[in-house]
Amino acid sequence: MAVAASGTRERPVPLRLRRRAVVAGIVVLWLVLFALLRGRQTLALAAADLTSLHRWFNDVNDTIGADRNSNPLFLYFFNEIRLVIDTLVTFVQTLVSQPPDGRPVPQIGWLGVVAVAGYVSWALGNWRVALLAVAGFTFFGLQGLWQESMDTLALTLSAVLVALLVGIPLGVWAGMSSRVNRVVTPVLDFMQTMPTFVYLAPLTLFFLIGPASATIATLVYAAPPAVRITAHAIRSVPATTVEAAESLGSTRAQTLTKVLLPMSRRTVVMGVNQTIMAALSMVTIAALIDAPGLGKTVVQALQSLDVGTAFNAGLAIVVMAIVLDRVTTAAAVRSERTRHPGGRRRWRGPLLGAGAVAAAVAVWLSHTYVWAAEFPGEGGAGRSLASAADTVTTWAQDHLSGLTNGVRDVLTTALLNPFQTLLTDSPWWLTGLVLVALGAVLGGIGAGATAAVCVGLLVGTGLWQDAMTTLASTAVATLLVMLLGVTVGVWMGRSALADRIVRPGLDAAQVMPPFVYLVPFLALFGASRFTAIVAAVVYAAPVTMKIVADGVRGVPATTVEAATAAGSGTWQLVTKVQLPMSRGALVLATNQGLIYVLSMVVVGGLVGAGALGYDVVAGFSQGELYGKGLAAGLAIVLLGVMFDRITQAAAGRTTRVPGRR
């Protein structure tokens, strides 16, 4: 009997099932209390109202402005940094975009810039990339956006130069020292969690608005990829290779220059690629603090709902991103080939020499003659593109408004409004307790403690209701991102053909800066929070699809074969084997989707998304709201940190070996 009793003993409930039950219980209790306490203690704040914290930020801003030319900290530190960066930016601008004193045109005109771009692309990559660069730069002129494009390029190159001068040495140091890496990694994680908007307000506090501040914000945003990827490249060099070099008497410096850097060259160049892409993305957004270039054109067009102009400038940004991405990617491939001298072609050297001479002649012509300095024509192609975009927009609004408005109204009414009401109309302490409890259940005690701190600080910003509105949009957009990401990601993970077809498009989509995504959806849905949500879904979907696809593909083939042999169909394979076994990838995809969505929802403040994004934009444009905008930036950071900590901790839990406690 004892044996029989023991044989019928019930199995313990798996931990994840118990966790789901607790989460469900928390949500049910929340809904019950919401029904009883709705509308009480919501911490609502009108758009024009300020808290004592906002007024204090305004006072600090005024005090800093009054002491900027007398305080030693500004005289000998911040002002000097701004002067150095401003000098660098001005120098690069006078080369390619802005006329210096005494000249009606820049030092190098369009012909010289196109020739140099083509030659550098050929030298670093191949002739195909060179043709792409020449075509892309010529296209800027045909669009009538030559100077704006060169301003964007000048700010991007200035920021990338400084970011690499700081980031690569720091990355090498972190790669060679575990202690430095442990110190640097949390800082980099924090910096990369912050949405791009957040960098702008505090930097303008110390460096004012203008090209210098925009460049500083850009280099701060773009430096983390350089540091992180360089450190990864150094640490990835096989330890046996390093030990062999040291056993032969190589010093630390010799090991670095003769072994570590040459063997990690390709990865470092890819870090440069990511730095350039981050810089270009940030330069366009830095138009909000008076950065010249294409970003300013897009911002002004979005604010006036001029879809045609926004499309033309957005297309130029996409073309520049594609050109810079292809050039640096080709450079990474060539850097790998240079390690094998036998693969070099003998005629490449003489041709490069001849190309250098031709580029130098083009530079001289563009410096000397107006016809080679000012791009010919008046941008007829750009006007045609803008007109076509306006025509398509009008047609879409006339013929598709029923469909687009229907989709918008259904998702807004059925999903967004109820969830936003639950978040904003619940008592603040109830919503806060729910967030802390969910953080603790999903991510553990540490994540719960982080959520508690973030909730407390969010209340302190005075923007609780705006933060909850942004949280609602972020959560709904993330849900849609994961539905799309899992659907397409599973398809890619199960089909090599689908992966080959879809992945290049995803790679191209990740190159485009966030601003660009707003333009087509502004045409389809008008200025509304739904526009920002849809743009955020499209912006965040590529990274989630790729992570899910890699997770599904990583499931052992023997496991899939065993399930198939046991009679499992396709649906059972996906839901019972592949998705459960790639649970860690799913949580990581959710983490990345949340961060991408949050940054895009905030950018959506330019097209009617409201909440924290609007607070930040209003803080730049209305002096009395500067303190509120700064507090909104802090609130965005707190939301990002809370999301990141909970999802990262949840991902860590899902990747632990089953049965371990």
Side-chain angles (χ1 to χ4, degrees):
M1 294 297 293
V3 174
S6 62
T8 59
R9 184 181 301 165
E10 294 184 0
R11 294 181 179 179
V13 179
L15 180 60
R16 64 175 180 274
L17 295 181
R18 284 182 282 166
R19 198 175 292 140
R20 291 174 187 172
V22 174
V23 169
I26 292 172
V27 172
V28 170
L29 180 61
W30 184 15
L31 293 173
V32 171
L33 293 177
F34 167 76
L36 297 174
L37 303 172
R38 180 175 181 175
R40 303 179 188 177
Q41 299 175 324
T42 58
L43 300 182
L45 185 70
D49 290 346
L50 302 176
T51 68
S52 57
L53 177 65
H54 305 159
R55 296 189 183 91
W56 183 77
F57 280 151
N58 284 338
D59 293 340
V60 170
N61 186 38
D62 294 339
T63 301
I64 288 177
D67 296 342
R68 191 175 301 278
N69 295 320
S70 58
N71 189 303
L73 185 61
F74 281 88
L75 284 176
Y76 303 110
F77 185 69
F78 292 118
N79 289 356
E80 291 298 318
I81 293 176
R82 188 175 189 276
L83 177 62
V84 170
I85 298 297
D86 190 51
T87 302
L88 173 63
V89 173
T90 302
F91 171 73
V92 178
Q93 284 183 308
T94 57
L95 282 181
V96 297
S97 64
Q98 299 288 342
D101 294 336
R103 280 180 61 87
V105 292
Q107 297 288 358
I108 305 175
W110 75 269
L111 184 63
V113 172
V114 171
V116 170
Y119 176 74
V120 170
S121 301
W122 182 28
L124 295 178
N126 53 59
W127 64 270
R128 297 181 187 85
V129 176
L131 286 179
L132 175 65
V134 170
F137 275 70
T138 303
F139 182 64
F140 300 147
L142 296 175
Q143 288 180 284
L145 295 172
W146 179 261
Q147 182 169 335
E148 291 87 345
S149 300
M150 293 304 100
D151 279 328
T152 297
L153 182 65
L155 263 63
T156 301
L157 293 180
S158 301
V160 168
L161 176 63
V162 180
L164 294 179
L165 286 176
V166 175
I168 290 181
L170 184 57
V172 170
W173 191 16
M176 298 182 67
S177 171
S178 299
R179 180 179 301 174
V180 174
N181 188 58
R182 285 194 298 270
V183 173
V184 169
T185 298
V187 178
L188 298 179
D189 290 340
F190 177 74
M191 292 176 69
Q192 291 191 295
T193 300
M194 294 168 60
T196 49
F197 258 26
V198 177
Y199 287 89
L200 302 181
L203 288 173
T204 57
L205 186 66
F206 297 103
F207 300 106
L208 299 175
I209 64 172
S213 296
T215 305
I216 293 170
T218 301
L219 70 91
V220 170
Y221 179 72
V227 178
R228 188 186 294 276
I229 295 177
T230 301
H232 170 72
I234 295 296
R235 290 196 304 273
S236 297
V237 176
T240 53
T241 305
V242 178
E243 292 169 359
E246 292 175 346
S247 66
L248 293 174
S250 295
T251 64
R252 189 177 180 85
Q254 290 173 325
T255 301
L256 174 63
T257 57
K258 302 295 184 181
V259 179
L260 293 174
L261 287 179
M263 294 191 67
S264 58
R265 184 186 304 163
R266 177 171 183 172
T267 306
V268 172
V269 176
M270 291 307 299
V272 175
N273 169 278
Q274 293 301 302
T275 301
I276 292 174
M277 292 300 100
L280 180 60
S281 174
M282 187 66 185
V283 161
T284 56
I285 292 177
L288 291 170
I289 56 173
D290 203 30
L294 296 168
K296 177 175 285 189
T297 304
V298 174
V299 169
Q300 292 172 346
L302 289 176
Q303 291 174 336
S304 60
L305 303 183
D306 184 353
V307 176
T309 301
F311 175 80
N312 189 40
L315 183 59
I317 295 173
V318 172
V319 171
M320 183 174 292
I322 291 173
V323 169
L324 294 177
D325 178 63
R326 291 297 92 199
V327 170
T328 49
T329 301
V333 174
R334 178 159 292 280
S335 69
E336 182 69 17
R337 291 177 181 172
T338 56
R339 294 178 57 192
H340 307 286
R344 297 180 182 177
R345 297 178 179 176
R346 296 180 180 179
W347 47 262
R348 180 174 170 81
L351 283 180
L352 284 176
V357 173
V361 171
V363 169
W364 178 80
L365 290 173
S366 69
H367 178 79
T368 307
Y369 298 100
V370 174
W371 64 266
E374 294 182 345
F375 198 93
E378 299 179 355
R383 288 196 300 273
S384 298
L385 286 169
S387 177
D390 286 331
T391 301
V392 171
T393 299
T394 302
W395 181 88
Q397 291 172 345
D398 291 341
H399 295 83
L400 300 179
S401 59
L403 175 62
T404 57
N405 291 342
V407 172
R408 180 189 64 194
D409 293 343
V410 167
L411 288 177
T412 300
T413 303
L415 192 60
L416 179 59
N417 285 347
F419 188 51
Q420 180 173 314
T421 300
L422 178 63
L423 285 168
T424 58
D425 287 5
S426 294
W428 69 267
W429 52 266
L430 174 59
T431 305
L433 286 175
V434 169
L435 292 174
V436 173
L438 291 177
V441 173
L442 297 175
I445 299 299
T450 301
V453 173
C454 290
V455 165
L457 293 176
L458 280 171
V459 173
T461 64
L463 297 172
W464 175 261
Q465 197 164 75
D466 283 355
M468 293 303 101
T469 301
T470 297
L471 174 57
S473 297
T474 302
V476 169
T478 303
L479 175 62
L480 297 176
V481 164
M482 291 308 299
L483 289 174
L484 185 61
V486 169
T487 302
V488 179
V490 168
W491 180 43
M492 292 171 60
R494 289 176 52 83
S495 169
L497 177 61
D499 189 84
R500 286 196 300 270
I501 294 173
V502 176
R503 191 172 289 267
L506 301 182
D507 293 338
Q510 286 191 275
V511 169
M512 294 191 292
F515 265 11
V516 177
Y517 288 88
L518 293 175
V519 178
F521 298 110
L522 177 65
L524 286 174
F525 299 105
S528 67
R529 55 183 176 164
F530 185 74
T531 300
I533 290 175
V534 176
V537 171
V538 177
Y539 178 61
V543 67
T544 61
M545 292 175 186
K546 286 164 48 170
I547 293 174
V548 172
D550 293 341
V552 171
R553 193 179 299 108
V555 175
T558 53
T559 304
V560 176
E561 292 169 1
T564 304
S568 297
T570 301
W571 177 254
Q572 291 173 314
L573 274 176
V574 172
T575 58
K576 302 297 184 181
V577 179
Q578 290 175 312
L579 284 180
M581 293 191 68
S582 57
R583 191 163 51 248
L586 292 176
V587 180
L588 178 60
T590 304
N591 170 272
Q592 292 301 295
L594 271 170
I595 300 304
Y596 274 65
V597 163
L598 178 61
S599 63
M600 192 64 191
V601 165
V602 173
V603 173
L606 291 168
V607 291
L612 295 178
Y614 172 80
D615 293 333
V616 174
V617 175
F620 291 129
S621 58
Q622 304 175 44
E624 68 276 8
L625 296 180
Y626 177 84
K628 193 173 187 178
L630 197 60
L634 176 60
I636 294 167
V637 172
L638 293 170
L639 286 177
V641 170
M642 182 167 62
F643 289 153
D644 184 66
R645 183 67 185 88
I646 292 173
T647 51
Q648 291 247 21
R653 280 188 164 193
T654 60
T655 54
R656 291 175 189 166
V657 178
R660 290 188 182 179
R661 296 295 179 89

